[in-house]
Amino acid sequence: MAKNLVIVESPAKAKTIEKFLGKDFKVVSSFGHIADLPAKELGVDVDKDFKPKYVVNADKKDLVKKLKKLAAECDIVWLASDEDREGEAIAWHLAEQLDLKPENTKRIVFNAITKSAVQNAIDNPGHIDYDLVNAQQARRVLDRIVGYEISPILWRKVKGGASAGRVQSVAVRLIVERENEILNFKSKNFFRIDAEFLADGKTLKAKLPGNLDSFKEAQDFLNLNKEASFEVADLVKKPASKSPAPPFTTSTLQQEASRKLFFNVSRTMQLAQRLYEAGLITYMRTDSVNLSKEAKKGAQDEITNAYGNEYHKERNYKGKSKGAQEAHEAIRPTNFAVHSAGADRDQIRLYELIWKRAIASQMSDAKLERTNVTVAASTHDKNFTANGEIVKFEGFLKVYLESTDDEDLEQQGLLPPLRIGQSLSKKKITATERFTRPPYRFSEASLVKALEELGIGRPSTYAPTITTVQNRKYVEKGTSLGTERSYKQLVLKDATIEEKELTEKTGSDKGKLIPTDVGRVVNDFLVEHFGNILDYNFTAKVEQSFDNIAEGKEEWTDMMNHFYKDFHPKVKDVAENAEREVGERVLGTDPATGKPISVRLGRFGAMAQIGTVEDEEKPQFASLLPSQSLNTITLEEVMDLFKLPRTLGEYKGHPVEVNQGRYGPYVKFNEKTFVSLESTDDPMTITFERAGELIQMKEKADAPIYMYDEQPVTKGVGRFGPFIKWAGMFISVNKKYDFDNLSNDDIEQLIKDKIQKEKDKLIVDWEDEGIRIEKARWGRHNIIKGKTKVELAKTVDPLKITLEKAKELIAKKAPKKKATRKKATKKTTKKK
């Protein structure tokens, strides 16, 4: 048996490290956290200094037992979880749950999984840093309390299933406020003047500084230039330089991978995790822009070998963040000599991006020459300007140039040879109508940037926060490519002005983050009642407190007490006194009934309503279309919703209807067939021919692909991926099969495997009664009858359950039928 046991978080990391250590070391994985707060209770004793109650997750109990046994058989246990707060907490939980003795336990950290880094850590072990542990505990406990106390209020006052989170709710607030700015923005038109001149036969592009306010001003200006002569009035050349960006932190990697590679933040972190675990890059959750001496030397060697000494310049970068959460280094390759690496195409692309950014950060400035030209006209005093630049020495630009989020940035190009006093001939001058733009919607990358600038969240929280707000349906990604907009353009050629009417696409939100109606209503409620929690400064101060705790400057329990003494009374007050919030807007009156027409958030989403609950007649309801929003829908659009369902015609002798349901618009045919409309289909305008196409596509998709045991097999794609359906069973098709080209043998094998799996699960089967006992996860068992399922305690032996006992448990669990209420009548009975 090995004398040393090394415990890391992930199997991939364990596999890489095991290559570097000899036979005296055994490396195993904890598969992340082994203990956490319980899922179904608060798990924090607020009266006893916020003492957390940690439990081992059910799916980790066998693992903990195994790790305990391995630890007992070894001389030394090395806790080698990641070097940030989460990693330190994992190490602490391992020490606690495995009953490790301090004298036999060593804590080691490394920011790169290389032989030298791992060996250096073994040679210089430390101890668990309880300041870091407490910082993680403070975050976990505070976030649990905020979520656990506010979420039930949201269930009662806003919508069932809604939740609040200290960071996620602030992220949603940012997105909602940006959307409000866009909705309230009033666009103004103006005219931009561009000119093209000829200088010795070569084109010089110039523009008029500033814009003209109206069509008439633009027309008058072009008229002034009809007979004008033009010359170079001034020409200034200035040397300039560009410096490289620092190596990547977590947030800048997420932003640049989004701009250059089009990865979302979660994808970027998944790929970076794989590269780190393979020993190819340093730790990927970091605020630091620092590089170690060894890294700088490695970069220098690679730069001088590949490009020459003049391309190298050693640089030291200073980050904005404080040192507590900041890891030791920026994200960089572990070996600069490796220009390309990774297990698949996306890993390779991300690795190359990290390599280029890190290597460029240690390269010379680019040397430029910028030229500014002024062009004067003989008929007026408004000058045109042209700017250009040439690269005299590439420096770091030979390897890498940082991208930008500025969609309006104009690239400066080369200018033709010019001299002061040189005559220019007019090629054309255009006046193009342009419009002021509202603020841009957030992309995932720009939201990360905004959170970082506000001091909200840390490297480990950016990706989970953005994923959570989308999973909660508070935010969704836009799909619109924009709408057509017409604009005017005047073109002056020779002495003639031509007027053109052109069109362009505007308002695209594809891939941008947009608040849903649920997200808006939840945000409005939280801002109104818990404004301090959603305050940007408050959230940033909390993060600062976590940093102070990590540095040993603040007690985590003091910070919690200070927060809770104001927070808890506010929660009680809101729970008791706050009004229900449904985002209601009254739009007008129904001309047919005279009743009010409103829109609001309902149980199944945004809905329109004619009438109120106080009316004698029940109100009429209609669901909003996916493309519609509570904030922007008009009275006319709501009235159209009440025209649904629309009957389009008959198909195979059955009526075809289009309607809107809780899952979106659909076509109904034959009372049994429901076909969802595609995103480009509008239920208000869809034709019978288009509905027929959708029905035929559905029939083709639902047609049997095979007959097995005289029963048809169909296939489809659901929430959990591709499946085949046979005899009422849904059978998942995993990646080892080619779903689009399933052979008959594949289908038979999938069905046989499923039947065997069901048999293996079966413990007891009272077939005549329709009751059975099956194996469930984590060593438990379920009694099942139809759709009713009763979970047995782990200590109960399923073989000792009698049929009578099973029936009794099913009866207790089965939903009771609701008593039907008799309609109240106006008749009264006489007293006897």
Side-chain angles (χ1 to χ4, degrees):
M1 187 65 197
K3 294 178 181 178
N4 298 275
L5 179 69
V6 181
I7 307 178
V8 297
E9 295 103 321
S10 74
K13 188 174 172 182
K15 194 175 178 182
T16 306
I17 291 171
E18 203 154 38
K19 297 174 188 173
F20 306 140
L21 300 172
K23 61 181 181 179
D24 287 339
F25 287 83
K26 181 175 180 61
V27 186
V28 294
S29 168
S30 69
F31 294 86
H33 282 276
I34 61 164
D36 197 3
L37 299 175
K40 295 183 178 179
E41 60 179 282
L42 177 61
V44 178
D45 192 337
V46 295
D47 297 322
K48 292 185 178 176
D49 259 351
F50 301 91
K51 185 180 179 182
K53 172 187 173 183
Y54 292 113
V55 296
V56 175
N57 301 328
D59 59 336
K60 292 287 180 77
K61 286 185 177 176
D62 289 342
L63 174 66
V64 169
K65 197 183 293 183
K66 176 189 168 187
L67 291 176
K68 247 183 184 178
K69 184 174 182 294
L70 289 171
E73 293 168 351
C74 292
D75 295 338
I76 298 176
V77 177
W78 305 78
L79 302 176
S81 48
D82 291 337
E83 60 181 346
D84 57 9
R85 296 172 195 170
E86 289 297 324
E88 210 66 30
I90 289 172
W92 176 63
H93 283 305
L94 284 166
E96 293 287 306
Q97 297 297 334
L98 305 185
D99 299 323
L100 301 180
K101 296 175 182 176
E103 60 270 22
N104 298 338
T105 306
K106 297 185 186 297
R107 172 77 172 117
I108 54 172
V109 293
F110 33 82
N111 77 321
I113 306 175
T114 61
K115 187 169 185 177
S116 59
V118 172
Q119 192 56 56
N120 184 57
I122 294 283
D123 294 340
N124 300 280
H127 301 285
I128 293 170
D129 186 333
Y130 288 96
D131 289 331
L132 286 182
V133 172
N134 288 336
Q136 190 274 346
Q137 280 200 113
R139 176 187 292 279
R140 187 74 184 93
V141 169
L142 190 146
D143 287 352
R144 169 56 68 96
I145 287 172
V146 168
Y148 216 85
E149 296 209 0
I150 295 182
S151 295
I153 296 175
L154 293 177
W155 304 341
R156 295 196 300 273
K157 306 287 185 180
V158 182
K159 190 177 186 295
S163 74
R166 184 182 54 83
V167 177
Q168 77 172 47
S169 298
V170 174
V172 173
R173 181 180 183 180
L174 275 169
I175 295 165
V176 169
E177 288 183 349
R178 177 61 59 86
E179 193 68 19
N180 288 340
E181 287 179 56
I182 293 167
L183 292 175
N184 295 329
F185 184 82
K186 305 297 181 189
S187 183
K188 294 179 181 177
N189 70 324
F190 59 89
F191 282 81
R192 188 189 70 210
I193 308 297
D194 297 291
E196 287 186 23
F197 302 104
L198 289 175
D200 296 332
K202 294 189 176 179
T203 299
L204 169 67
K205 291 184 178 182
K207 63 181 181 180
L208 189 72
N211 300 305
L212 303 180
D213 292 334
S214 66
F215 179 81
K216 187 175 185 312
E217 277 188 52
Q219 204 168 36
D220 291 346
F221 178 75
L222 292 190
N223 280 322
L224 288 174
N225 287 278
K226 279 184 177 179
E227 305 300 331
S229 59
F230 303 90
E231 69 172 22
V232 177
D234 193 17
L235 190 150
V236 179
K237 291 185 178 182
K238 292 180 181 177
S241 65
K242 269 184 185 172
S243 298
F248 284 129
T249 62
T250 301
S251 74
T252 54
L253 175 64
Q254 290 169 348
Q255 291 166 50
E256 194 73 339
S258 173
R259 298 183 197 113
K260 276 190 159 67
L261 307 178
F262 306 104
F263 294 159
N264 63 35
V265 293
S266 295
R267 180 68 176 149
T268 297
M269 294 313 290
Q270 287 167 2
L271 294 168
Q273 180 89 29
R274 302 289 174 268
L275 292 171
Y276 166 67
E277 290 171 347
L280 296 170
I281 63 169
T282 52
Y283 191 53
M284 64 287 152
R285 282 188 273 274
T286 174
D287 289 340
S288 176
V289 288
N290 181 44
L291 292 179
S292 66
K293 287 180 181 177
E294 293 78 12
K296 288 176 187 173
K297 180 68 170 65
Q300 179 181 352
D301 292 344
E302 199 56 33
I303 292 163
T304 52
N305 289 338
Y307 310 113
N309 285 323
E310 67 274 20
Y311 280 88
H312 175 257
K313 180 181 179 181
E314 185 174 321
R315 298 174 187 269
N316 296 310
Y317 294 95
K318 190 167 178 63
K320 297 175 187 175
S321 65
K322 297 188 72 177
Q325 173 74 352
E326 184 171 309
H328 301 305
E329 276 196 85
I331 303 168
R332 63 163 176 86
T334 54
N335 183 357
F336 281 99
V338 179
H339 292 213
S340 182
D344 57 41
R345 180 173 176 268
D346 284 350
Q347 283 188 34
I348 291 168
R349 291 170 71 206
L350 188 67
Y351 177 88
E352 288 176 353
L353 185 68
I354 292 167
W355 183 88
K356 286 175 182 176
R357 175 83 164 221
I359 204 90
S361 75
Q362 297 300 304
M363 292 179 74
S364 306
D365 287 350
K367 303 297 181 188
L368 314 169
E369 182 182 83
R370 290 197 176 124
T371 305
N372 300 318
V373 179
T374 303
V375 176
S378 61
T379 56
H380 57 82
D381 59 0
K382 288 185 176 179
N383 293 331
F384 295 91
T385 61
N387 303 301
E389 69 178 28
I390 57 172
V391 177
K392 293 285 192 179
F393 172 67
E394 285 180 298
F396 77 95
L397 292 177
K398 199 166 186 74
V399 174
Y400 178 83
L401 176 62
E402 185 180 26
S403 299
T404 175
D405 286 321
D406 188 349
E407 297 177 28
D408 295 327
L409 194 68
E410 291 183 14
Q411 293 295 321
Q412 295 183 345
L414 290 172
L415 299 177
L418 299 166
R419 61 187 181 278
I420 293 175
Q422 181 178 355
S423 292
L424 303 172
S425 60
K426 175 186 70 194
K427 190 175 178 183
K428 68 175 179 178
I429 302 175
T430 60
T432 307
E433 186 179 19
R434 296 289 78 207
F435 303 86
T436 54
R437 290 184 176 184
Y440 292 112
R441 287 184 173 92
F442 286 112
S443 64
E444 287 192 358
S446 60
L447 180 60
V448 167
K449 186 178 181 182
L451 290 169
E452 185 183 38
E453 286 173 350
L454 288 167
I456 297 166
R458 287 296 181 263
S460 59
T461 65
Y462 299 138
T465 297
I466 290 171
T467 301
T468 298
V469 297
Q470 291 178 75
N471 289 344
R472 291 282 181 191
K473 308 296 183 191
Y474 294 160
V475 173
E476 62 189 8
K477 285 189 177 175
T479 56
S480 168
L481 294 174
T483 54
E484 287 279 333
R485 175 174 67 188
S486 62
Y487 66 97
K488 292 175 181 175
Q489 187 179 66
L490 298 171
V491 182
L492 169 63
K493 277 189 180 178
D494 298 324
T496 305
I497 298 175
E498 181 188 1
E499 184 178 336
K500 296 180 179 179
E501 188 82 23
L502 304 171
T503 60
E504 63 184 350
K505 284 272 190 179
T506 183
S508 170
D509 59 25
K510 189 171 175 63
K512 300 296 172 66
L513 300 174
I514 303 171
T516 62
D517 287 322
V518 176
R520 276 184 167 280
V521 175
V522 168
N523 176 74
D524 292 348
F525 182 85
L526 291 175
V527 169
E528 181 182 351
H529 298 290
F530 296 98
N532 60 327
I533 300 294
L534 268 69
D535 179 76
Y536 301 135
N537 290 330
F538 167 80
T539 310
K541 283 177 186 173
V542 169
E543 296 291 351
Q544 187 60 60
S545 289
F546 294 151
D547 289 345
N548 291 339
I549 294 163
E551 292 175 4
K553 296 176 181 177
E554 189 175 345
E555 286 292 328
W556 80 273
T557 50
D558 290 345
M559 179 251 186
M560 285 303 307
N561 274 304
H562 181 72
F563 163 77
Y564 196 70
K565 69 181 174 66
D566 295 324
F567 172 72
H568 187 63
K570 181 65 176 174
V571 169
K572 290 177 73 175
D573 176 59
V574 173
E576 291 169 12
N577 302 313
E579 294 292 322
R580 185 167 168 74
E581 175 64 68
V582 290
E584 186 174 30
R585 280 177 67 218
V586 177
L587 301 178
T589 305
D590 177 25
T593 64
K595 292 180 178 180
I597 296 177
S598 60
V599 290
R600 64 181 177 85
L601 195 63
R603 185 180 171 193
F604 300 118
M607 55 182 273
Q609 178 175 322
I610 298 177
T612 66
V613 290
E614 287 81 19
D615 294 341
E616 200 168 302
E617 290 181 3
K618 187 180 177 184
Q620 291 176 261
F621 300 102
S623 296
L624 268 62
L625 301 176
S627 59
Q628 295 172 330
S629 164
L630 291 177
N631 268 49
T632 57
I633 193 168
T634 64
L635 178 61
E636 291 72 22
E637 289 169 334
V638 167
M639 293 307 296
D640 283 342
L641 292 174
F642 287 99
K643 294 175 184 175
L644 296 174
R646 289 173 57 222
T647 301
L648 302 178
E650 282 196 359
Y651 179 80
K652 294 184 180 178
H654 297 281
V656 175
E657 282 184 359
V658 62
N659 204 352
Q660 164 72 4
R662 57 186 287 199
Y663 300 114
Y666 63 88
V667 168
K668 184 172 82 168
F669 156 69
N670 194 21
E671 295 300 323
K672 296 177 183 176
T673 305
F674 295 84
V675 188
S676 293
L677 268 60
E678 294 182 357
S679 59
T680 51
D681 295 318
D682 183 345
M684 308 311 302
T685 58
I686 190 171
T687 63
F688 173 71
E689 289 71 27
R690 174 59 180 156
E693 286 177 23
L694 292 171
I695 292 168
Q696 287 167 8
M697 288 162 62
K698 173 75 170 171
E699 287 177 333
K700 188 177 178 182
D702 289 349
I705 57 171
Y706 188 62
M707 294 293 291
Y708 181 78
D709 201 16
E710 299 183 354
Q711 294 200 60
V713 180
T714 59
K715 71 176 187 175
V717 178
R719 286 176 62 194
F720 305 111
F723 65 85
I724 61 171
K725 185 180 178 185
W726 174 79
M729 287 195 293
F730 289 87
I731 305 166
S732 295
V733 180
N734 61 39
K735 288 182 179 178
K736 83 174 185 180
Y737 294 98
D738 181 353
F739 180 67
D740 293 326
N741 301 291
L742 287 173
S743 67
N744 295 345
D745 289 342
D746 292 338
I747 294 166
E748 289 191 8
Q749 190 60 51
L750 283 162
I751 293 170
K752 286 173 183 174
D753 289 347
K754 179 70 173 178
I755 291 169
Q756 188 58 48
K757 190 177 178 182
E758 293 299 314
K759 282 181 180 176
D760 292 343
K761 280 167 56 178
L762 196 63
I763 303 296
V764 180
D765 189 3
W766 292 289
E767 199 171 337
D768 295 341
E769 300 287 343
I771 299 174
R772 64 190 186 277
I773 302 179
E774 289 184 354
K775 287 180 185 174
R777 289 188 299 172
W778 305 324
R780 294 181 179 273
H781 297 85
N782 293 328
I783 303 174
I784 299 170
K785 181 176 183 180
K787 292 184 178 180
T788 305
K789 185 188 290 185
V790 179
E791 188 181 86
L792 297 174
K794 201 171 181 182
T795 52
V796 174
D797 184 347
L799 296 174
K800 291 183 179 178
I801 297 286
T802 63
L803 176 59
E804 288 68 29
K805 183 65 177 175
K807 284 181 177 179
E808 180 189 328
L809 292 169
I810 289 286
K812 285 181 182 177
K813 179 79 174 183
K816 294 177 183 176
K817 289 183 179 178
K818 290 182 180 177
T820 55
R821 289 167 58 189
K822 290 183 180 177
K823 262 192 173 180
T825 61
K826 292 183 179 179
K827 290 182 180 178
T828 56
T829 53
K830 290 182 181 179
K831 290 183 181 177
K832 288 184 180 179

